[in-house]
Amino acid sequence: MPKVTISSLEKSYNGEDLFSDLTFEVIAGMRLAVTGPNGCGKSTLLKLVAGKIDPDSGVIAISKNARVGYVAQEFTEEDLDHGLLSWVLAALPSWNSLWEEWEKAASTNDQALIERLSQRQADLEHQFGYNPEHKARTILTGLGFSEHNMLSKIAELSGGWRERAKLGRVLLQGADILLLDEPTNHLDLEAVEWLESYLLSFRGAVIYVAHDRIFLDRVGTHVLYLGSGKAVVRRGSFSQFIEWRAENSLQRSREAAKLTAKIDNEYSYIRRFKAQARKAAQAQSKMKKVSKLEDDLSKIQDETESNRAGRALAFRMPPTARGDKAPITVVDLEFSYDGKPPSLWPLLNFQLFRGTKVALAAPNGAGKSTLLKVILGTLEANAGYARIGPNTSLAYFSQHQSEILRTEATALSEIRRLCDPDTTEEQLKGVLGLFLLGESYFDRPVSALSGGEKNRLILASLFLSRANLLILDEPTNHLDLESREGLIQALKDYDGTIFFVAHDRYLLGEVAEEIWSLTDTGIEVFQSFADYDAHRKEMLAGGGSSSDSKTSDSDYKPEKRKLTKEEKRRQADIRNNLYKDLKPRLAKYEKLEKELEKVLEELAEMEEKLNDPELYNDSGAAIELNSKYSEASSWSESLMEDMAVLEKEIAEIEERKKQLMDED
């Protein structure tokens, strides 16, 4: 059973302790959500468990033979030259070499080698499941990759899709312990939900860092909170942890108030009677009692501090000037990157009215961020136009906008550059403080800021802009949980107009008053995220496949005539080509048939074991066998589906051959 045991772990950077005497255990079936403010050491903890860095002291013990899956940080040049599917599969032993050896052994009838290869195949299937390529395709499809993407080189993928590729490779490896750092970054809604489902059925141990409130709640079985004071581990969802922390804090505050009152009473007695000889002994006794009460109070205060959240981003957007009735107007808008048809989206016509908060939703690649850029004027439309109202003041935030920051400049000089020149130094520093970039950050270079700190610096400049229209592209990326919730509250209270793109379901549900779904027919409006989400899931469940209807003309029999030599030669070429098409399909069908026969035999054996009551004396063995049975059943169904496709193709080729024979 995979297990991670952390004992008395300590790690510090630049003289500051990240962990002190950190102790906890994660076993199979646990999904530990590591939470806390930015800079508290969440990612560092994952690197420590993965063995990428060493602790200052303490022990990290991982159960023997347990496989650890951890997403690597960077691609090598060699990685970038690989095709996506082949790079993901390269994480596993080569199945091709196994089949090559098998064919050689079969041709020489080497029974001893066949027996060894059979055992090797069984070991690989036990470790990695049936047909790794099928599993790899399933994982990559779940993460949003198309069939075309799977054949693309890693170098051709954008940064976000490369991160998905890393995640897909780790999931395929079949680790017993998964270490995931912000796995939902760069995923659209469908991919996030697929990952949630995958992790909920994962039988090993998971330690993960996430700032997606809904993902935290749905996936986690336990919470590890890092931050000020002693780390806290609690069973339950993140929301349950928040409730417990609030109740615990209130209870501790009451206890501290009672102790403080007792201590004050005791000191009052001591002050009154310590000078009197008759009461001196009693006063001395009370001093010992007070000392113990103060120790108890100190412990309660320490516990309260350790359970208290880190400092949260808490601000309110300033009032805005009344702008245009329609801050954004879009008429007959079309766009493609090469300037040629087809457009990235259908002809678009809409107006965004003053004071509304609208989220633009669609899967990755549908052109949401591109539409924002066309509206902003950074990209030029092929046809039609997008206009910002003349009395509308605009502020824009992009998930990549931190690139506009000068890395060598300080935080204070950058916000001074980005804001109105009339803004006073006192106002600049005050706003930086609101965004948790206080005095210690003023002279810090931008290059030394984390991704979240850079995003907060950009958000601080939006705050000072007093814009009455905000256009936001993934505004919560790289923000920790507390900062996300502070921003969401500020956007809810904002009195201007918001047009934004996000995959953060909590943000969408809390801020958006309408969801505009960008579809292949235009924009479809939903009155809430809940309505949009229900519609999206209904469409996904429906599948939308249409069956082909073919008209048969088999009853039509033209009058036969003799064929010319040229026609006979062409028909012979066609027959040869049909045979070339047919032969590999027949071979593949035979191979699948043998695999299916083998899987069905194994299923029968497993069914016999599952019907044995003694199996259930060992719950772990029963769970593992049920899981293997489910996986084998799924693989058998997949084999039968592939065989059905081949049967149809073979039948079509045979029919074409028959038609040629009838023409002879």
Side-chain angles (χ1 to χ4, degrees):
M1 179 181 288
K3 181 168 69 173
V4 178
T5 303
I6 307 288
S7 301
S8 304
L9 189 68
E10 303 215 357
K11 184 70 179 177
S12 63
Y13 280 115
N14 301 322
E16 291 187 19
D17 288 339
L18 285 178
F19 318 122
S20 179
D21 195 27
L22 180 61
T23 300
F24 64 92
E25 187 174 80
V26 183
I27 61 173
M30 279 180 64
R31 296 184 294 273
L32 181 68
V34 184
T35 66
N38 278 347
C40 68
K42 300 185 294 293
S43 296
T44 300
L45 178 61
L46 294 190
K47 290 176 185 175
L48 286 164
V49 177
K52 302 298 180 184
I53 57 175
D54 296 322
D56 296 336
S57 64
V59 176
I60 301 171
I62 296 175
S63 52
K64 189 177 180 182
N65 298 325
R67 294 163 295 155
V68 177
Y70 175 69
V71 177
Q73 295 303 304
E74 300 295 339
F75 284 102
T76 65
E77 287 299 320
E78 187 180 352
D79 290 335
L80 294 174
D81 202 42
H82 268 82
L84 170 64
L85 184 61
S86 65
W87 180 77
V88 169
L89 282 166
L92 303 181
S94 172
W95 285 70
N96 291 335
S97 65
L98 173 70
W99 292 119
E100 286 171 8
E101 290 181 55
W102 187 283
E103 287 172 2
K104 288 177 185 175
S107 64
T108 58
N109 198 27
D110 187 340
Q111 291 300 318
L113 180 55
I114 288 174
E115 190 172 328
R116 289 198 300 273
L117 291 172
S118 296
Q119 183 56 51
R120 181 175 156 197
Q121 181 185 355
D123 291 343
L124 289 172
E125 286 175 349
H126 174 76
Q127 187 174 1
F128 300 112
Y130 294 88
N131 196 327
E133 182 175 338
H134 173 76
K135 188 174 180 181
R137 287 179 181 274
T138 300
I139 288 171
L140 291 174
T141 300
L143 291 174
F145 288 99
S146 66
E147 190 66 29
H148 173 72
N149 292 146
M150 293 186 201
L151 302 176
S152 301
K153 287 187 176 182
I154 301 289
E156 295 170 3
L157 302 176
S158 68
W161 287 99
R162 290 183 189 184
E163 293 305 313
R164 292 194 193 201
K166 292 177 188 176
L167 178 59
R169 179 161 159 146
V170 167
L171 296 181
L172 178 66
Q173 284 175 313
D176 303 302
I177 299 163
L178 277 177
L179 307 175
L180 304 176
D181 194 353
E182 287 288 356
T184 62
N185 271 1
H186 311 292
L187 300 188
D188 58 18
L189 292 177
E190 288 77 17
V192 169
E193 288 173 350
W194 177 88
L195 180 60
E196 284 174 350
S197 176
Y198 182 94
L199 294 177
L200 288 172
S201 63
F202 181 69
R203 300 191 304 277
V206 183
I207 305 175
Y208 70 100
V209 174
H211 294 140
D212 181 324
R213 177 70 179 265
I214 295 175
F215 186 84
L216 281 169
D217 266 344
R218 290 185 178 173
V219 173
T221 61
H222 296 71
V223 173
L224 167 62
Y225 186 84
L226 302 174
S228 56
K230 189 176 180 182
V232 181
V233 180
R234 292 285 298 180
R235 183 183 181 87
S237 69
F238 182 74
S239 288
Q240 288 170 334
F241 171 76
I242 294 295
E243 289 173 10
W244 168 82
R245 189 171 62 184
E247 290 171 6
N248 188 66
S249 179
L250 182 60
Q251 183 182 342
R252 290 303 192 188
S253 295
R254 287 170 179 163
E255 290 176 11
K258 287 180 182 178
L259 276 176
T260 301
K262 277 186 182 180
I263 291 169
D264 289 344
N265 286 336
E266 297 297 341
Y267 270 126
S268 177
Y269 181 92
I270 292 166
R271 281 193 298 270
R272 286 172 59 198
F273 298 110
K274 67 178 180 180
Q276 298 180 19
R278 266 186 326 110
K279 301 281 188 178
Q282 197 170 352
Q284 188 64 31
S285 172
K286 285 195 176 287
M287 279 297 295
K288 291 179 181 178
K289 184 178 179 181
V290 166
S291 179
K292 185 178 183 308
L293 289 173
E294 287 178 332
D295 287 343
D296 292 342
L297 179 60
S298 179
K299 287 176 184 176
I300 289 173
Q301 288 170 336
D302 287 345
E303 287 180 24
T304 302
E305 181 66 20
S306 67
N307 293 338
R308 184 179 295 135
R311 188 181 168 201
L313 183 66
F315 68 99
R316 191 180 183 93
M317 300 290 283
T320 62
R322 185 179 176 84
D324 302 282
K325 182 179 179 182
I328 299 176
T329 300
V330 168
V331 176
D332 293 341
L333 190 67
E334 290 184 335
F335 175 83
S336 63
Y337 279 101
D338 58 6
K340 300 174 184 177
S343 174
L344 193 58
W345 52 72
L347 205 66
L348 293 181
N349 288 279
F350 63 82
Q351 282 187 307
L352 182 65
F353 292 108
R354 183 176 57 228
T356 55
K357 296 171 183 175
V358 172
L360 188 65
N364 278 351
K368 302 184 298 296
S369 296
T370 302
L371 177 56
L372 298 188
K373 290 175 184 175
V374 173
I375 291 171
L376 290 161
T378 55
L379 291 175
E380 187 176 346
N382 297 357
Y385 64 84
R387 286 182 185 155
I388 304 293
N391 298 311
T392 296
S393 55
L394 166 69
Y396 171 60
F397 176 89
S398 163
Q399 56 181 321
H400 306 299
Q401 201 177 3
S402 60
E403 294 167 5
I404 70 170
L405 296 172
R406 300 175 304 179
T407 56
E408 74 283 359
T410 65
L412 184 59
S413 65
E414 276 303 88
I415 195 170
R416 188 186 296 120
R417 179 176 71 89
L418 295 170
C419 291
D420 188 308
D422 293 333
T423 307
T424 68
E425 197 80 353
E426 187 179 358
Q427 287 173 321
L428 290 175
K429 290 180 178 179
V431 169
L432 282 175
L434 275 178
F435 285 82
L436 313 185
L437 299 169
E439 190 173 351
S440 62
Y441 286 91
F442 293 167
D443 296 322
R444 192 175 298 186
V446 168
S447 59
L449 301 181
S450 68
E453 288 163 349
K454 289 175 184 175
N455 276 8
R456 293 207 301 274
L457 183 58
I458 297 291
L459 287 169
S461 71
L462 295 190
F463 178 90
L464 287 168
S465 71
R466 293 183 177 271
N468 53 27
L469 170 64
L470 298 181
I471 293 182
L472 311 172
D473 190 358
E474 298 289 359
T476 57
N477 265 11
H478 300 295
L479 293 184
D480 62 24
L481 198 63
E482 287 82 8
S483 297
R484 284 184 183 215
E485 298 203 351
L487 176 63
I488 287 170
Q489 189 57 52
L491 294 177
K492 286 170 72 173
D493 295 338
Y494 175 63
D495 65 3
T497 308
I498 305 177
F499 194 44
F500 71 101
V501 169
H503 292 132
D504 184 328
R505 291 165 292 180
Y506 191 63
L507 170 65
L508 288 165
E510 291 293 310
V511 174
E513 296 166 349
E514 290 182 0
I515 304 289
W516 290 5
S517 176
L518 189 58
T519 71
D520 55 5
T521 58
I523 286 179
E524 188 173 356
V525 178
F526 296 87
Q527 297 306 309
S528 70
F529 175 67
D531 289 346
Y532 165 74
D533 204 34
H535 173 77
R536 180 181 64 84
K537 288 175 179 174
E538 184 181 338
M539 294 299 290
L540 287 172
S545 60
S546 58
S547 57
D548 296 331
S549 58
K550 295 183 179 178
T551 304
S552 173
D553 57 2
S554 57
D555 293 333
Y556 172 67
K557 295 182 180 179
E559 183 180 343
K560 285 191 176 182
R561 65 174 179 82
K562 289 187 178 180
L563 301 176
T564 65
K565 285 184 179 179
E566 181 61 25
E567 287 173 330
K568 286 181 179 179
R569 187 189 64 76
R570 280 203 304 268
Q571 284 199 353
D573 288 342
I574 293 171
R575 276 196 295 271
N576 286 336
N577 288 332
L578 288 173
Y579 177 73
K580 288 177 183 176
D581 287 344
L582 184 61
K583 186 178 179 182
R585 286 173 170 80
L586 289 171
K588 187 174 180 181
Y589 186 87
E590 186 179 355
K591 181 176 180 295
L592 292 177
E593 197 171 32
K594 287 178 180 176
E595 284 189 47
L596 180 60
E597 186 179 338
K598 179 174 179 290
V599 175
L600 291 176
E601 285 176 4
E602 291 178 1
L603 280 169
E605 290 174 7
M606 284 189 271
E607 283 174 4
E608 191 174 335
K609 291 178 182 176
L610 288 168
N611 290 328
D612 184 354
E614 290 188 8
L615 171 69
Y616 299 93
N617 293 333
D618 183 347
S619 60
I623 291 170
E624 184 177 1
L625 187 59
N626 267 296
S627 176
K628 286 182 180 177
Y629 183 83
S630 175
E631 187 177 0
S633 297
S634 175
W635 177 228
S636 68
E637 290 170 8
S638 178
L639 286 172
M640 286 189 275
E641 287 171 6
D642 291 346
M643 289 170 69
V645 171
L646 283 171
E647 282 173 2
K648 184 180 178 183
E649 292 174 354
I650 290 168
E652 287 175 353
I653 295 171
E654 294 285 7
E655 178 63 26
R656 286 161 64 194
K657 283 175 62 180
K658 182 175 179 299
Q659 288 173 358
L660 281 174
M661 290 176 64
D662 289 342
E663 290 173 9
D664 287 345

